[in-house]
Amino acid sequence: MPVRLHLDEGRVPVEVYTSEVDPKTLEQLTNIASLPIVHSHVAAMPDVHFGIGATVGSVIPTRGAIIPAAVGVDIGCGMNAVRLSLRAEDLPDTLKRLRSAVEKAVPVGFAEHREPSVRADNVRRVQQSLQPLVERHPGITKMMRSFERTMARQIGTLGGGNHFIELCLDEADRVWVMLHSGSRGIGNAIGRYFIALAKKDMLKHLSNLPDANLAYFTEGAEHFDDYVAAVQWAQDYAHYNRAHMLRLVLDAMRPLLPRFETQGEAIDCHHNYVEREHHFGADVYLTRKGAIRAGKDELGIIPGSMGVRSFIVRGLGNAASFQSCAHGAGRRMSRKQARREFSVDDLARQTKGVECRKDRGVLDEIPGAYKDIDEVMANQADLVTIEHTLKQVMCVKG
């Protein structure tokens, strides 16, 4: 499906891959497109919705500058998925013990491991790689309690909100493990610190911005290089967190399932990040806020909500989308609205057949709070092809 909406009220246009966009989101996209640093155009994915700072589901190419609030505070958040040698018939009739084993192995929500769950030398390498930046910016450590201890203990943890660990079956009844997480508390601290610093640095110019959250660092500015280094570190931490979490999940499952192996390399993709790329004749800093890279033949993961289907996709390398696609179903209502409009009984009905929490604590993650994933996929037929369709049978949430 081609671009559904074309917005031209900003300095550059916005190409939107859906017609289901509320007025607040359209205004936010126009604000981004009004910035002098944006190159060519802004692309909005089919799961686009209003966000803090910048629109979730937006792809923003900037020349010589980066907007910290567009990258956000969940730096490096993304997906990991791997197929196992198991089939549906290898799973037990009830998955409750399996879910309990995973929840015991992987701390969720605000919880963390009592002690680091990775080797001490790996923890030291992670800490030492950040040390020079922290020495230049001690304010980062003040945003996070017990900074070094928490950073070490949150490796291999899930977090809360829309983060999850799932056991899924594909179209051939083969078993997959899929998870969604990011850089945890340290990424949040880095994000908040540099967002505040960008606003401070642009204090004289904030009145010229359509939104103070769109404050940016320019190349050559005092803090630009440090922000780039910090974001790259957080993105690497997020990769490491997901990879280690996957190992913990598989180890927790092994005693309860027939012997199994993983089939090929795990698919891993960020969907909140910035990367140096070349598009429309220029080298740009491309920020994907709630979008994944969908380069030609690249594999990616697009999850639905906790009661519907998810997809393993192959990118088509579409130039107009900056070789990007949606990162999921995308919310159609706020968490507060979801808690008002739905009941625990609604949650139980919408997650029927899925072994998961069915209580008020996850009510804001009810499938009805999200857009129709099938419509999202139909709207990006020009961006990706579907390799596998996954249906979850177990879901762990914080």
Side-chain angles (χ1 to χ4, degrees), residues 122-393:
N122 287 341
V123 172
R124 282 193 295 272
R125 279 196 291 271
V126 169
Q127 293 173 332
Q128 288 171 358
S129 63
L130 187 64
Q131 194 60 35
L133 186 73
V134 169
E135 289 174 358
R136 292 194 298 274
H137 297 275
I140 295 173
T141 64
K142 296 177 182 178
M143 291 191 165
M144 187 174 165
R145 181 189 293 181
S146 305
F147 181 79
E148 289 192 357
R149 187 185 70 180
T150 301
M151 177 173 59
R153 293 182 179 186
Q154 286 190 340
I155 297 171
T157 65
L158 183 64
N162 60 354
H163 296 151
F164 62 79
I165 301 166
E166 289 184 345
L167 195 66
C168 305
L169 300 176
D170 69 11
E171 65 285 343
D173 274 347
R174 295 171 297 196
V175 177
W176 291 69
V177 173
M178 180 170 68
L179 57 85
H180 172 205
S181 192
S183 54
R184 304 294 283 111
I186 178 59
N188 183 285
I190 287 171
R192 287 186 295 123
Y193 174 83
F194 280 102
I195 289 169
L197 197 56
K199 290 179 180 179
K200 182 179 178 181
D201 284 3
M202 288 196 71
L203 195 58
K204 296 178 182 178
H205 309 289
L206 283 181
S207 60
N208 297 325
L209 293 176
D211 183 342
N213 281 313
L214 295 178
Y216 52 85
F217 295 120
T218 57
E219 286 180 336
E222 180 182 1
H223 302 300
F224 181 86
D225 289 342
D226 279 351
Y227 178 64
V228 171
V231 165
Q232 187 59 63
W233 186 94
Q235 290 171 185
D236 291 344
Y237 182 95
H239 269 306
Y240 188 34
N241 178 44
R242 287 194 293 271
H244 184 60
M245 199 186 328
L246 181 59
R247 287 192 291 271
L248 295 176
V249 171
L250 297 178
D251 288 346
M253 290 168 47
R254 290 187 193 280
L256 301 175
L257 294 172
R259 183 182 178 121
F260 66 83
E261 304 293 336
T262 56
Q263 305 293 291
E265 293 291 321
I267 304 166
D268 189 283
C269 55
H270 290 321
H271 54 227
N272 280 347
Y273 73 113
V274 61
E275 201 71 71
R276 188 80 162 155
E277 297 185 11
H278 189 85
H279 294 278
F280 294 95
D283 291 325
V284 298
Y285 293 98
L286 192 71
T287 299
R288 293 184 175 95
K289 184 180 179 72
I292 66 172
R293 182 173 166 84
K296 180 67 174 174
D297 290 330
E298 292 180 356
L299 292 177
I301 308 163
I302 302 176
S305 58
M306 61 192 288
V308 300
R309 298 181 294 173
S310 299
F311 301 90
I312 305 297
V313 298
R314 188 175 296 276
L316 294 176
N318 186 289
S321 72
F322 303 101
Q323 299 185 37
S324 307
C325 70
H327 81 311
R331 296 194 72 91
R332 68 178 183 88
M333 64 175 66
S334 70
R335 296 183 182 279
K336 186 180 292 187
Q337 183 182 354
R339 287 191 289 267
R340 278 199 312 265
E341 294 197 10
F342 294 107
S343 67
V344 172
D345 288 341
D346 294 326
L347 178 63
R349 281 192 295 271
Q350 293 184 28
T351 58
K352 184 178 180 181
V354 181
E355 173 57 46
C356 64
R357 289 177 58 186
K358 301 177 193 284
D359 56 67
R360 290 200 64 83
V362 294
L363 188 56
D364 54 0
E365 282 294 297
I366 189 170
Y370 283 83
K371 294 182 180 181
D372 182 344
I373 188 63
D374 291 324
E375 183 176 340
V376 168
M377 297 306 296
N379 283 339
Q380 57 184 351
D382 287 356
L383 311 183
V384 294
T385 58
I386 297 171
E387 291 286 299
H388 298 291
T389 301
L390 309 184
K391 179 66 176 74
Q392 70 273 70
V393 292

